[in-house]
């Protein structure tokens, strides 16, 4: 798999990976593979490594065991588990009625009447938006973190083909209706990648678009 990076070496608080465009990007990422999930931080500038490698800060190993020779994938999905397990945030498991059936979601309560509805990106799950949950919770926003069609526990597209938000946006529309039904005065849509395109489509196409007070689009698929 050309998208996987080999683990070349491990040291205290450091991990050496194959050098690629992805493995040299700034930021914090998940490093995942069968039975393994770790979190890596920024590139350590000046660290000694072979020319074909890069050294990053190793933040923590969440599951499994890291060993040299493993081939793992970098992902923006930093956290695994649910909000309580991963972040210590109390939440409720809720069911959002959708066009194709029930959509599971996590609801993290907050004091405000404006809810934030999150939609994850391509190749991730509803665990992905947990990267912004501590900030949103700190700002007292209720958060509805949605699993949409094609996700584990959610209905599949009738033909099994994902459309990068072109039909999936209607699941965000269902989440808006759910939020309004249960007390939201208005909503902010926060989407990543395909989820960002879904948020944009919902903000322009939903019958409740007048309830959308803001959108946050992280890497939207626009064309």
């Amino acid at each position: 798999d050309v998208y996987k990076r080999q683990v070349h070496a491990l040291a205290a608080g450091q991990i050496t990976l194959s050098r690629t465009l992805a493995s040299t990007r700034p930021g914090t990422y998940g490093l995942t593979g069968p039975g393994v999930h770790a979190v890596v931080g920024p590139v350590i500038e000046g660290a000694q490594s072979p020319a074909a490698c890069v050294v990053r800060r190793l933040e923590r190993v969440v599951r499994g065991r890291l060993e040299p020779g493993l081939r793992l994938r970098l992902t923006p999905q930093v956290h695994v588990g649910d909000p309580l397990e991963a972040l210590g945030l109390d939440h409720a498991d809720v069911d959002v009625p959708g066009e194709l059936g029930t959509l599971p979601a996590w609801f993290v309560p907050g004091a405000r009447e404006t809810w934030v509805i999150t939609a994850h990106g391509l190749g991730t799950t509803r665990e992905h938006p947990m990267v912004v949950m501590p900030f949103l919770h700190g700002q007292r926003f209720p958060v509805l973190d949605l699993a949409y069609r094609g996700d584990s526990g959610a209905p599949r597209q009738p033909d099994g083909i994902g459309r990068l938000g072109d039909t999936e946006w209607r699941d965000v529309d269902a989440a808006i209706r759910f939020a309004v039904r249960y007390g939201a005065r208005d909503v902010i849509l926060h989407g990543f990648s395909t989820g960002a395109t879904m948020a944009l489509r919902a903000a322009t196409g939903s019958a409740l678009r007048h309830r959308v007070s803001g959108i946050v689009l992280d890497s939207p698929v626009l064309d």
Side-chain angles (χ1 to χ4, degrees):
D1 185 341
V2 296
Y3 296 104
K4 292 185 178 178
R5 283 86 197 170
Q6 184 173 350
V7 177
H8 291 268
L10 295 159
Q14 298 182 7
I15 184 169
T16 302
L17 300 169
S18 303
R19 178 179 289 273
T20 65
L21 180 62
S23 66
T24 57
R25 287 175 181 155
T28 300
Y29 297 89
L31 188 63
T32 191
V36 177
H37 188 90
V39 179
V40 296
V43 172
I44 300 175
E45 300 296 342
Q48 296 297 314
S49 69
C53 296
V54 63
V55 181
R56 300 189 72 108
R57 192 166 68 213
L58 178 60
E59 302 285 358
R60 59 189 179 275
V61 179
V62 182
R63 292 180 182 169
R65 181 178 177 180
L66 289 177
E67 296 178 343
L70 286 177
R71 298 184 69 83
L72 303 174
R73 180 171 60 90
L74 282 165
T75 171
Q77 186 165 301
V78 173
H79 302 292
V80 292
D82 61 34
L84 181 61
E85 178 186 357
L87 304 170
L89 295 178
D90 289 332
H91 69 284
D93 293 292
V94 299
D95 293 326
V96 175
E99 178 185 49
L100 301 180
T102 299
L103 306 167
W106 291 319
F107 176 68
V108 179
R112 296 194 184 206
E113 293 181 316
T114 297
W115 290 26
V116 177
I117 297 172
T118 60
H120 67 80
L122 189 66
T124 63
T125 71
R126 59 177 160 156
E127 294 168 311
H128 179 197
M130 286 198 289
V131 294
V132 296
M133 265 188 200
F135 170 77
L136 296 173
H137 183 69
Q139 302 300 311
R140 302 183 296 117
F141 285 110
V143 180
L144 184 65
D145 183 10
L146 184 70
Y148 52 84
R149 60 188 70 187
D151 288 345
S152 177
R156 290 176 56 82
Q157 292 268 32
D159 58 7
I161 298 173
R163 288 180 170 78
L164 301 178
D166 194 44
T167 56
E168 293 89 346
W169 74 269
R170 291 195 283 270
D171 292 344
V172 173
D173 182 36
I176 297 171
R177 293 197 304 271
F178 180 92
V180 170
R181 183 181 308 125
Y182 286 98
R185 181 189 62 204
D186 51 16
V187 300
I188 296 170
L189 305 180
H190 190 144
F192 304 79
S193 179
T194 297
T197 304
M198 292 163 58
L200 185 60
R201 290 290 304 275
T204 57
S206 171
L208 291 177
R209 58 187 176 273
H210 60 285
R211 298 288 195 127
V212 178
S213 61
I215 54 176
V216 181
L217 307 178
D218 186 326
S219 310
V221 182
L222 297 177
D223 187 340

